[in-house]
mmCIF file of all heavy atoms in Angstrom:
data_model
loop_
_atom_site.group_PDB
_atom_site.id
_atom_site.type_symbol
_atom_site.label_atom_id
_atom_site.label_comp_id
_atom_site.label_asym_id
_atom_site.label_seq_id
_atom_site.Cartn_x
_atom_site.Cartn_y
_atom_site.Cartn_z
ATOM 1 N N ALA A 1 12.898 -11.038 19.329
ATOM 2 C CA ALA A 1 11.703 -11.614 19.898
ATOM 3 C C ALA A 1 10.614 -11.678 18.871
ATOM 4 O O ALA A 1 10.781 -11.177 17.830
ATOM 5 C CB ALA A 1 11.168 -10.752 21.066
ATOM 6 N N ARG A 2 9.595 -12.555 19.253
ATOM 7 C CA ARG A 2 8.559 -12.843 18.279
ATOM 8 C C ARG A 2 7.842 -11.513 17.838
ATOM 9 O O ARG A 2 7.581 -11.300 16.644
ATOM 10 C CB ARG A 2 7.536 -13.737 18.934
ATOM 11 C CG ARG A 2 6.372 -14.021 17.919
ATOM 12 C CD ARG A 2 5.073 -14.528 18.758
ATOM 13 N NE ARG A 2 4.495 -13.446 19.484
ATOM 14 C CZ ARG A 2 3.144 -13.409 19.852
ATOM 15 N NH1 ARG A 2 2.385 -14.515 19.608
ATOM 16 N NH2 ARG A 2 2.722 -12.427 20.542
ATOM 17 N N ASP A 3 7.596 -10.619 18.711
ATOM 18 C CA ASP A 3 6.877 -9.484 18.470
ATOM 19 C C ASP A 3 7.659 -8.537 17.545
ATOM 20 O O ASP A 3 7.099 -7.772 16.685
ATOM 21 C CB ASP A 3 6.541 -8.690 19.661
ATOM 22 C CG ASP A 3 5.206 -9.286 20.427
ATOM 23 O OD1 ASP A 3 4.787 -10.316 19.888
ATOM 24 O OD2 ASP A 3 4.801 -8.755 21.410
ATOM 25 N N GLN A 4 9.035 -8.572 17.613
ATOM 26 C CA GLN A 4 9.746 -7.850 16.686
ATOM 27 C C GLN A 4 9.572 -8.428 15.286
ATOM 28 O O GLN A 4 9.415 -7.504 14.195
ATOM 29 C CB GLN A 4 11.273 -7.849 17.109
ATOM 30 C CG GLN A 4 12.098 -6.907 16.136
ATOM 31 C CD GLN A 4 13.678 -7.068 16.396
ATOM 32 O OE1 GLN A 4 14.053 -8.197 16.560
ATOM 33 N NE2 GLN A 4 14.372 -5.970 16.362
ATOM 34 N N LEU A 5 9.493 -9.595 15.085
ATOM 35 C CA LEU A 5 9.186 -10.211 13.803
ATOM 36 C C LEU A 5 7.956 -9.859 13.314
ATOM 37 O O LEU A 5 7.756 -9.532 12.174
ATOM 38 C CB LEU A 5 9.423 -11.761 13.840
ATOM 39 C CG LEU A 5 8.876 -12.651 12.756
ATOM 40 C CD1 LEU A 5 9.505 -12.238 11.340
ATOM 41 C CD2 LEU A 5 9.052 -14.161 13.032
ATOM 42 N N LEU A 6 6.866 -9.922 14.138
ATOM 43 C CA LEU A 6 5.538 -9.497 13.676
ATOM 44 C C LEU A 6 5.444 -8.068 13.340
ATOM 45 O O LEU A 6 4.790 -7.782 12.416
ATOM 46 C CB LEU A 6 4.485 -9.958 14.898
ATOM 47 C CG LEU A 6 4.464 -11.323 15.217
ATOM 48 C CD1 LEU A 6 3.451 -11.642 16.247
ATOM 49 C CD2 LEU A 6 4.136 -12.267 14.003
ATOM 50 N N LEU A 7 6.238 -7.233 14.064
ATOM 51 C CA LEU A 7 6.120 -5.856 13.647
ATOM 52 C C LEU A 7 6.810 -5.666 12.270
ATOM 53 O O LEU A 7 6.249 -4.910 11.430
ATOM 54 C CB LEU A 7 6.987 -4.944 14.624
ATOM 55 C CG LEU A 7 6.355 -4.531 15.942
ATOM 56 C CD1 LEU A 7 7.288 -3.908 16.913
ATOM 57 C CD2 LEU A 7 5.024 -3.614 15.646
ATOM 58 N N ALA A 8 7.801 -6.376 12.013
ATOM 59 C CA ALA A 8 8.498 -6.328 10.674
ATOM 60 C C ALA A 8 7.576 -6.794 9.465
ATOM 61 O O ALA A 8 7.522 -6.212 8.515
ATOM 62 C CB ALA A 8 9.758 -7.152 10.607
ATOM 63 N N LEU A 9 6.687 -7.799 9.891
ATOM 64 C CA LEU A 9 5.846 -8.313 8.942
ATOM 65 C C LEU A 9 4.640 -7.299 8.630
ATOM 66 O O LEU A 9 4.259 -7.015 7.525
ATOM 67 C CB LEU A 9 5.147 -9.630 9.519
ATOM 68 C CG LEU A 9 4.115 -10.315 8.543
ATOM 69 C CD1 LEU A 9 4.684 -10.669 7.388
ATOM 70 C CD2 LEU A 9 3.627 -11.611 9.276
ATOM 71 N N VAL A 10 4.196 -6.761 9.696
ATOM 72 C CA VAL A 10 3.104 -5.702 9.529
ATOM 73 C C VAL A 10 3.582 -4.465 8.719
ATOM 74 O O VAL A 10 2.971 -4.024 7.856
ATOM 75 C CB VAL A 10 2.589 -5.304 10.863
ATOM 76 C CG1 VAL A 10 1.788 -3.970 10.739
ATOM 77 C CG2 VAL A 10 1.704 -6.328 11.533
ATOM 78 N N ASP A 11 4.864 -4.125 9.046
ATOM 79 C CA ASP A 11 5.463 -2.972 8.260
ATOM 80 C C ASP A 11 5.664 -3.302 6.818
ATOM 81 O O ASP A 11 5.552 -2.446 5.965
ATOM 82 C CB ASP A 11 6.775 -2.632 9.019
ATOM 83 C CG ASP A 11 6.645 -1.821 10.221
ATOM 84 O OD1 ASP A 11 5.487 -1.292 10.498
ATOM 85 O OD2 ASP A 11 7.585 -1.666 10.967
ATOM 86 N N GLU A 12 6.133 -4.533 6.589
ATOM 87 C CA GLU A 12 6.291 -5.032 5.198
ATOM 88 C C GLU A 12 4.887 -5.002 4.433
ATOM 89 O O GLU A 12 4.919 -4.470 3.242
ATOM 90 C CB GLU A 12 6.883 -6.435 5.175
ATOM 91 C CG GLU A 12 7.038 -6.915 3.748
ATOM 92 C CD GLU A 12 7.732 -8.352 3.804
ATOM 93 O OE1 GLU A 12 7.075 -9.271 4.077
ATOM 94 O OE2 GLU A 12 8.908 -8.327 3.610
ATOM 95 N N ILE A 13 3.969 -5.463 5.050
ATOM 96 C CA ILE A 13 2.673 -5.344 4.343
ATOM 97 C C ILE A 13 2.228 -3.934 4.081
ATOM 98 O O ILE A 13 1.661 -3.589 2.984
ATOM 99 C CB ILE A 13 1.517 -6.212 5.179
ATOM 100 C CG1 ILE A 13 2.014 -7.642 5.211
ATOM 101 C CG2 ILE A 13 0.151 -6.023 4.607
ATOM 102 C CD1 ILE A 13 1.120 -8.426 6.172
ATOM 103 N N ALA A 14 2.366 -3.203 5.136
ATOM 104 C CA ALA A 14 2.059 -1.633 4.928
ATOM 105 C C ALA A 14 2.796 -1.056 3.763
ATOM 106 O O ALA A 14 2.275 -0.153 3.068
ATOM 107 C CB ALA A 14 2.180 -1.004 6.233
ATOM 108 N N ASP A 15 4.058 -1.395 3.732
ATOM 109 C CA ASP A 15 4.847 -0.843 2.600
ATOM 110 C C ASP A 15 4.295 -1.361 1.320
ATOM 111 O O ASP A 15 4.324 -0.526 0.210
ATOM 112 C CB ASP A 15 6.307 -1.231 2.715
ATOM 113 C CG ASP A 15 7.125 -0.481 3.897
ATOM 114 O OD1 ASP A 15 6.483 0.537 4.251
ATOM 115 O OD2 ASP A 15 8.095 -0.962 4.359
ATOM 116 N N GLN A 16 4.000 -2.611 1.264
ATOM 117 C CA GLN A 16 3.337 -3.127 -0.055
ATOM 118 C C GLN A 16 2.124 -2.441 -0.517
ATOM 119 O O GLN A 16 1.913 -2.056 -1.590
ATOM 120 C CB GLN A 16 3.159 -4.624 0.114
ATOM 121 C CG GLN A 16 4.434 -5.461 0.356
ATOM 122 C CD GLN A 16 4.159 -6.873 0.551
ATOM 123 O OE1 GLN A 16 2.977 -7.356 0.829
ATOM 124 N NE2 GLN A 16 5.172 -7.613 0.662
ATOM 125 N N VAL A 17 1.301 -2.055 0.552
ATOM 126 C CA VAL A 17 -0.004 -1.480 0.312
ATOM 127 C C VAL A 17 0.342 0.005 -0.164
ATOM 128 O O VAL A 17 -0.270 0.387 -1.156
ATOM 129 C CB VAL A 17 -0.780 -1.319 1.561
ATOM 130 C CG1 VAL A 17 -2.059 -0.487 1.401
ATOM 131 C CG2 VAL A 17 -1.297 -2.632 1.997
ATOM 132 N N ARG A 18 1.312 0.698 0.475
ATOM 133 C CA ARG A 18 1.517 1.924 0.210
ATOM 134 C C ARG A 18 2.094 2.122 -1.303
ATOM 135 O O ARG A 18 1.662 3.016 -2.077
ATOM 136 C CB ARG A 18 2.566 2.611 1.104
ATOM 137 C CG ARG A 18 2.852 4.019 1.033
ATOM 138 C CD ARG A 18 3.847 4.571 2.052
ATOM 139 N NE ARG A 18 3.253 4.444 3.368
ATOM 140 C CZ ARG A 18 3.610 3.567 4.224
ATOM 141 N NH1 ARG A 18 4.540 2.673 3.967
ATOM 142 N NH2 ARG A 18 3.052 3.560 5.426
ATOM 143 N N THR A 19 2.970 1.148 -1.565
ATOM 144 C CA THR A 19 3.546 1.113 -2.890
ATOM 145 C C THR A 19 2.552 0.804 -4.013
ATOM 146 O O THR A 19 2.446 1.589 -5.050
ATOM 147 C CB THR A 19 4.681 0.036 -3.019
ATOM 148 O OG1 THR A 19 5.714 0.257 -2.179
ATOM 149 C CG2 THR A 19 5.180 0.004 -4.412
ATOM 150 N N ALA A 20 1.576 -0.125 -3.784
ATOM 151 C CA ALA A 20 0.469 -0.309 -4.755
ATOM 152 C C ALA A 20 -0.439 0.845 -4.830
ATOM 153 O O ALA A 20 -0.752 1.117 -6.065
ATOM 154 C CB ALA A 20 -0.222 -1.551 -4.132
ATOM 155 N N VAL A 21 -0.677 1.552 -3.761
ATOM 156 C CA VAL A 21 -1.648 2.718 -3.932
ATOM 157 C C VAL A 21 -1.003 3.843 -4.702
ATOM 158 O O VAL A 21 -1.557 4.292 -5.634
ATOM 159 C CB VAL A 21 -1.990 3.103 -2.521
ATOM 160 C CG1 VAL A 21 -2.704 4.508 -2.553
ATOM 161 C CG2 VAL A 21 -2.917 2.157 -1.863
ATOM 162 N N LEU A 22 0.243 4.085 -4.435
ATOM 163 C CA LEU A 22 0.883 5.235 -5.117
ATOM 164 C C LEU A 22 1.164 4.924 -6.585
ATOM 165 O O LEU A 22 1.034 5.737 -7.426
ATOM 166 C CB LEU A 22 2.272 5.550 -4.414
ATOM 167 C CG LEU A 22 2.116 6.045 -3.033
ATOM 168 C CD1 LEU A 22 3.534 6.250 -2.367
ATOM 169 C CD2 LEU A 22 1.395 7.556 -3.167
ATOM 170 N N ALA A 23 1.435 3.577 -6.980
ATOM 171 C CA ALA A 23 1.521 3.162 -8.248
ATOM 172 C C ALA A 23 0.284 3.249 -8.957
ATOM 173 O O ALA A 23 0.180 3.689 -10.185
ATOM 174 C CB ALA A 23 2.095 1.685 -8.348
ATOM 175 N N ALA A 24 -0.809 2.965 -8.453
ATOM 176 C CA ALA A 24 -2.045 3.019 -9.176
ATOM 177 C C ALA A 24 -2.472 4.501 -9.347
ATOM 178 O O ALA A 24 -3.059 4.777 -10.455
ATOM 179 C CB ALA A 24 -3.134 2.417 -8.104
ATOM 180 N N LEU A 25 -2.113 5.319 -8.383
ATOM 181 C CA LEU A 25 -2.383 6.784 -8.657
ATOM 182 C C LEU A 25 -1.546 7.294 -9.728
ATOM 183 O O LEU A 25 -1.975 8.210 -10.691
ATOM 184 C CB LEU A 25 -2.112 7.627 -7.408
ATOM 185 C CG LEU A 25 -3.134 7.498 -6.290
ATOM 186 C CD1 LEU A 25 -2.505 7.910 -5.002
ATOM 187 C CD2 LEU A 25 -4.480 8.137 -6.592
ATOM 188 N N SER A 26 -0.350 6.788 -9.857
ATOM 189 C CA SER A 26 0.588 7.356 -10.934
ATOM 190 C C SER A 26 0.343 6.787 -12.240
ATOM 191 O O SER A 26 0.406 7.527 -13.315
ATOM 192 C CB SER A 26 2.035 6.969 -10.444
ATOM 193 O OG SER A 26 2.945 7.325 -11.566
ATOM 194 N N ASP A 27 -0.180 5.581 -12.284
ATOM 195 C CA ASP A 27 -0.413 4.923 -13.650
ATOM 196 C C ASP A 27 -1.803 5.092 -14.206
ATOM 197 O O ASP A 27 -2.101 4.848 -15.288
ATOM 198 C CB ASP A 27 -0.199 3.348 -13.479
ATOM 199 C CG ASP A 27 1.238 2.979 -12.912
ATOM 200 O OD1 ASP A 27 2.174 3.874 -13.398
ATOM 201 O OD2 ASP A 27 1.481 1.777 -12.555
ATOM 202 N N THR A 28 -2.684 5.710 -13.287
ATOM 203 C CA THR A 28 -4.167 5.836 -13.797
ATOM 204 C C THR A 28 -4.398 7.328 -14.349
ATOM 205 O O THR A 28 -4.017 8.245 -13.714
ATOM 206 C CB THR A 28 -5.092 5.649 -12.635
ATOM 207 O OG1 THR A 28 -4.808 4.212 -12.125
ATOM 208 C CG2 THR A 28 -6.541 5.634 -13.165
ATOM 209 N N GLU A 29 -5.018 7.327 -15.510
ATOM 210 C CA GLU A 29 -5.273 8.667 -16.080
ATOM 211 C C GLU A 29 -6.834 8.862 -15.805
ATOM 212 O O GLU A 29 -7.597 7.930 -15.466
ATOM 213 C CB GLU A 29 -5.068 8.754 -17.624
ATOM 214 C CG GLU A 29 -3.627 8.534 -17.986
ATOM 215 C CD GLU A 29 -3.315 8.502 -19.456
ATOM 216 O OE1 GLU A 29 -4.357 8.602 -20.169
ATOM 217 O OE2 GLU A 29 -2.149 8.504 -19.804
ATOM 218 N N GLY A 30 -7.273 10.070 -15.879
ATOM 219 C CA GLY A 30 -8.709 10.407 -15.777
ATOM 220 C C GLY A 30 -8.958 11.327 -14.573
ATOM 221 O O GLY A 30 -8.008 11.916 -14.149
ATOM 222 N N ASP A 31 -10.171 11.541 -14.217
ATOM 223 C CA ASP A 31 -10.574 12.521 -13.256
ATOM 224 C C ASP A 31 -10.237 11.979 -11.748
ATOM 225 O O ASP A 31 -9.748 10.825 -11.697
ATOM 226 C CB ASP A 31 -12.003 12.938 -13.341
ATOM 227 C CG ASP A 31 -12.991 11.565 -13.252
ATOM 228 O OD1 ASP A 31 -12.469 10.612 -12.828
ATOM 229 O OD2 ASP A 31 -14.177 11.898 -13.596
ATOM 230 N N ALA A 32 -10.545 12.627 -10.802
ATOM 231 C CA ALA A 32 -10.292 12.363 -9.409
ATOM 232 C C ALA A 32 -10.881 10.999 -9.056
ATOM 233 O O ALA A 32 -10.340 10.266 -8.365
ATOM 234 C CB ALA A 32 -10.739 13.459 -8.520
ATOM 235 N N ALA A 33 -12.168 10.833 -9.527
ATOM 236 C CA ALA A 33 -12.944 9.661 -9.201
ATOM 237 C C ALA A 33 -12.219 8.341 -9.767
ATOM 238 O O ALA A 33 -12.067 7.299 -9.087
ATOM 239 C CB ALA A 33 -14.388 9.581 -9.642
ATOM 240 N N ALA A 34 -11.765 8.437 -11.008
ATOM 241 C CA ALA A 34 -11.128 7.334 -11.633
ATOM 242 C C ALA A 34 -9.772 6.994 -10.864
ATOM 243 O O ALA A 34 -9.462 5.779 -10.611
ATOM 244 C CB ALA A 34 -10.801 7.550 -13.028
ATOM 245 N N ARG A 35 -8.964 8.015 -10.579
ATOM 246 C CA ARG A 35 -7.745 7.766 -9.879
ATOM 247 C C ARG A 35 -7.938 7.311 -8.465
ATOM 248 O O ARG A 35 -7.175 6.423 -7.932
ATOM 249 C CB ARG A 35 -6.935 9.080 -9.830
ATOM 250 C CG ARG A 35 -6.575 9.540 -11.349
ATOM 251 C CD ARG A 35 -5.639 10.620 -11.289
ATOM 252 N NE ARG A 35 -4.234 10.327 -10.777
ATOM 253 C CZ ARG A 35 -3.421 11.244 -10.377
ATOM 254 N NH1 ARG A 35 -3.664 12.534 -10.435
ATOM 255 N NH2 ARG A 35 -2.269 10.810 -9.823
ATOM 256 N N ALA A 36 -8.893 7.835 -7.696
ATOM 257 C CA ALA A 36 -9.231 7.405 -6.361
ATOM 258 C C ALA A 36 -9.635 5.967 -6.365
ATOM 259 O O ALA A 36 -9.256 5.142 -5.536
ATOM 260 C CB ALA A 36 -10.268 8.274 -5.827
ATOM 261 N N HIS A 37 -10.485 5.473 -7.412
ATOM 262 C CA HIS A 37 -10.959 4.190 -7.483
ATOM 263 C C HIS A 37 -9.827 3.234 -7.709
ATOM 264 O O HIS A 37 -9.743 2.130 -7.134
ATOM 265 C CB HIS A 37 -12.023 4.132 -8.641
ATOM 266 C CG HIS A 37 -12.694 2.652 -8.710
ATOM 267 N ND1 HIS A 37 -12.188 1.635 -9.302
ATOM 268 C CD2 HIS A 37 -13.891 2.264 -8.240
ATOM 269 C CE1 HIS A 37 -12.936 0.584 -9.202
ATOM 270 N NE2 HIS A 37 -14.004 0.940 -8.583
ATOM 271 N N ALA A 38 -8.872 3.548 -8.577
ATOM 272 C CA ALA A 38 -7.720 2.752 -8.754
ATOM 273 C C ALA A 38 -6.858 2.541 -7.457
ATOM 274 O O ALA A 38 -6.429 1.445 -7.201
ATOM 275 C CB ALA A 38 -6.838 3.358 -9.933
ATOM 276 N N ALA A 39 -6.660 3.662 -6.745
ATOM 277 C CA ALA A 39 -6.008 3.513 -5.522
ATOM 278 C C ALA A 39 -6.605 2.727 -4.559
ATOM 279 O O ALA A 39 -5.914 1.897 -3.782
ATOM 280 C CB ALA A 39 -5.667 5.055 -5.048
ATOM 281 N N LEU A 40 -7.875 2.946 -4.316
ATOM 282 C CA LEU A 40 -8.592 2.138 -3.350
ATOM 283 C C LEU A 40 -8.806 0.656 -3.713
ATOM 284 O O LEU A 40 -8.715 -0.154 -2.828
ATOM 285 C CB LEU A 40 -9.972 2.754 -3.126
ATOM 286 C CG LEU A 40 -10.061 4.131 -2.523
ATOM 287 C CD1 LEU A 40 -11.355 4.856 -2.619
ATOM 288 C CD2 LEU A 40 -9.718 3.935 -0.990
ATOM 289 N N ALA A 41 -8.840 0.460 -5.048
ATOM 290 C CA ALA A 41 -8.910 -0.895 -5.500
ATOM 291 C C ALA A 41 -7.581 -1.568 -5.180
ATOM 292 O O ALA A 41 -7.531 -2.776 -4.794
ATOM 293 C CB ALA A 41 -9.147 -1.041 -6.992
#
């Protein structure tokens, strides 16, 4: 059904966000503020 497709799309975007946030945390050096800024950005 349409809503199953839309759920898959929302989940895909959420996965992309989660991956980007975790990558930013992993790749950023510095104090908590610097790493938090990278993740939020």
Side-chain angles (χ1 to χ4, degrees):
R2 183 202 67 161
D3 283 3
Q4 186 188 41
L5 166 57
L6 298 183
L7 278 173
L9 178 60
V10 168
D11 285 344
E12 180 176 76
I13 295 170
D15 286 342
Q16 292 171 355
V17 171
R18 190 178 295 104
T19 297
V21 166
L22 293 175
L25 285 166
S26 176
D27 296 343
T28 302
E29 298 181 354
D31 60 11
R35 297 185 68 196
H37 188 277
L40 291 165

